[in-house]
Amino acid sequence: MLSRRWEPVAAICTVAVVGLVTGLTVPLVSLRLSGGGAAAALIGAAAALPAVGILAAVLCLGPLTWRWRIKPLLVVGMAGSAVSTGLLAVTGSVPVLLVLRFAVGVFAGLLLVLGETWINAITAEATRGRWIAVYTSVFTLCQVSGPGLLALFGSAAQWSLVVAVLTHVPGIALLVVSSCEIDGFKAGKPIASLRFARSAPTIALAVLMFSFFDSAVLALLPLYGIAHGHTEAIAVLMVGAVFAGDALLQVPLGWWADHVDRRRLHLGCAVVVLLLALGMPVLLGVSVLMWPALVVLGAAAGGVYTLGLVRIGQDFTDDELVDANAGATVLWALGSLVGPLIGSAALNLLPPDGLMLALAAVTALFLTAAVADFRARAPLSR
């Protein structure tokens, strides 16, 4: 068995594969459907299906954790994710593809809730920001690898999916030899997972905002880039630039969060996202500004999510931590569900910049709640 000090590493590796699977399959399916002449509504629905699967997983989480321990559930999630991703490489049927997208979401939901609970439960308060930041950085690097594989092999090639399946193997191996110290935790009824939203609405909105950003950017930023005159390869790499920025700056942000007021830092990240979303239509036309802007946009949006997870671990413990992470995953799934739908509708109604206007609106909603929370709590505390 792994020693306790290696538990966070095993937990991070277990959940990080979700990043690669989503980073690869969401834009891949969008590009394949677009290349086949599918309507924007079908493309948005296909991108939203994993979120439906995640919601289904969370609804079943309570009975599952009462019947089985968490470690075997994580193994099932990893194996199921590998199989459903691999089957995407051999199907040419749109209905089967949609079923597999749903299955990918189900297994991702299990891994996200239980894996993030594991990470938060075994890290100390004084270093939680850094460990959560390492997790989100690794997760994001895996997401970046998805568009990178697409740019390398193209949306018609199967090799990118083969690579994604193979990356599950070391994660399963680490999980098997881990003691998984949260193995006795139990989830409550589905309604229990939403209680944290009432007690921590700002954190809930942070998760909702980032999930909207994450799903909309993965599914629609390539189309947004093409609409602004860029090639498919450049448009896909734009997604990579966003998530590369997310990965590069999360660890410094996590270290910062362990030393300053976390609510103040949360606000600052959201302000940067809002300003860049509003300015992106202009920035996309200037290459020397476009790439740095995309990198900073990803870093700031990722910071909103990282700090939300840190604050969940700060405010919730034991079985309540499972329910809080389940609630966060529900909101993440809802944001992922509406992100592509609202984003594609915005692209159609307000071409070509509707996507960034929708992101600005969602960010403004989070900022409104965050400012109200910031003013209501005095004196400031971390």
Side-chain angles (χ1 to χ4, degrees):
M1 290 291 178
L2 289 177
S3 64
R4 191 182 189 282
R5 66 176 181 170
W6 289 102
E7 286 276 296
V9 176
I12 288 168
C13 291
T14 298
V15 191
V17 296
V18 178
L20 178 60
V21 170
T22 56
L24 172 62
T25 60
V26 172
L28 182 145
V29 171
S30 294
L31 289 171
R32 282 188 179 178
L33 290 174
S34 179
L42 177 59
I43 295 172
L49 268 176
V52 179
I54 289 172
L55 288 172
V58 173
L59 289 174
C60 298
L61 192 62
L64 288 174
T65 56
W66 281 94
R67 186 177 180 87
W68 290 288
R69 297 181 73 83
I70 285 178
K71 183 173 177 176
L73 289 175
L74 285 169
V75 172
V76 168
M78 290 285 285
S81 175
V83 171
S84 54
T85 301
L87 289 176
L88 284 171
V90 297
T91 183
S93 166
V94 172
V96 174
L97 181 148
L98 296 178
V99 170
L100 290 173
R101 297 294 291 120
F102 174 78
V104 166
V106 170
F107 297 117
L110 283 176
L111 293 174
L112 284 171
V113 175
L114 301 179
E116 289 179 356
T117 300
W118 190 8
I119 296 166
N120 250 324
I122 60 179
T123 53
E125 175 62 26
T127 58
R128 178 172 287 115
R130 277 160 279 186
W131 273 114
I132 295 296
V134 169
Y135 155 61
T136 55
S137 292
V138 172
F139 188 95
T140 304
L141 283 171
C142 290
Q143 282 188 311
V144 172
S145 299
L149 289 171
L150 281 180
L152 179 63
F153 295 114
S155 59
Q158 311 302 328
W159 285 108
S160 54
L161 290 168
V162 172
V163 172
V165 171
L166 291 176
T167 58
H168 288 73
V169 176
I172 292 174
L174 279 172
L175 181 58
V176 169
V177 300
S178 169
S179 61
C180 194
E181 293 197 7
I182 64 165
D183 221 7
F185 285 17
K186 308 292 184 185
K189 295 180 180 179
I191 191 65
S193 65
L194 295 178
R195 288 175 184 162
F196 96 102
R198 294 199 299 268
S199 60
T202 304
I203 300 175
L205 283 172
V207 174
L208 193 62
M209 173 204 150
F210 179 76
S211 62
F212 179 96
F213 171 88
D214 184 71
S215 62
V217 166
L218 276 174
L220 301 170
L221 190 60
L223 306 182
Y224 179 63
I226 291 170
H228 273 268
H230 296 290
T231 65
E232 178 181 310
I234 293 296
V236 170
L237 287 175
M238 287 169 59
V239 179
V242 169
F243 290 102
D246 185 355
L248 288 171
L249 289 182
Q250 292 319 295
V251 173
L253 279 171
W255 177 88
W256 201 0
D258 288 333
H259 293 84
V260 300
D261 180 83
R262 288 169 178 165
R263 292 179 297 117
R264 188 187 300 274
L265 191 56
H266 225 169
L267 274 171
C269 288
V271 168
V272 172
V273 173
L274 178 62
L275 293 177
L276 286 176
L278 293 174
M280 194 57 65
V282 175
L283 295 169
L284 280 183
V286 186
S287 294
V288 71
L289 298 178
M290 178 183 78
W291 297 108
L294 290 169
V295 168
V296 175
L297 176 65
V304 171
Y305 182 63
T306 295
L307 290 164
L309 291 182
V310 170
R311 292 174 66 182
I312 286 175
Q314 174 183 292
D315 296 341
F316 299 90
T317 58
D318 300 329
D319 290 351
E320 288 184 351
L321 184 59
V322 182
D323 291 332
N325 277 289
T329 302
V330 168
L331 292 172
W332 191 86
L334 289 174
S336 297
L337 181 64
V338 303
L341 297 175
I342 293 177
S344 60
L347 277 174
N348 286 332
L349 294 173
L350 301 167
D353 298 312
L355 176 62
M356 288 299 157
L357 292 174
L359 173 60
V362 174
T363 305
L365 178 63
F366 165 71
L367 271 173
T368 300
V371 169
D373 177 60
F374 189 81
R375 290 178 175 175
R377 300 192 188 192
L380 294 178
S381 61
R382 195 172 66 182

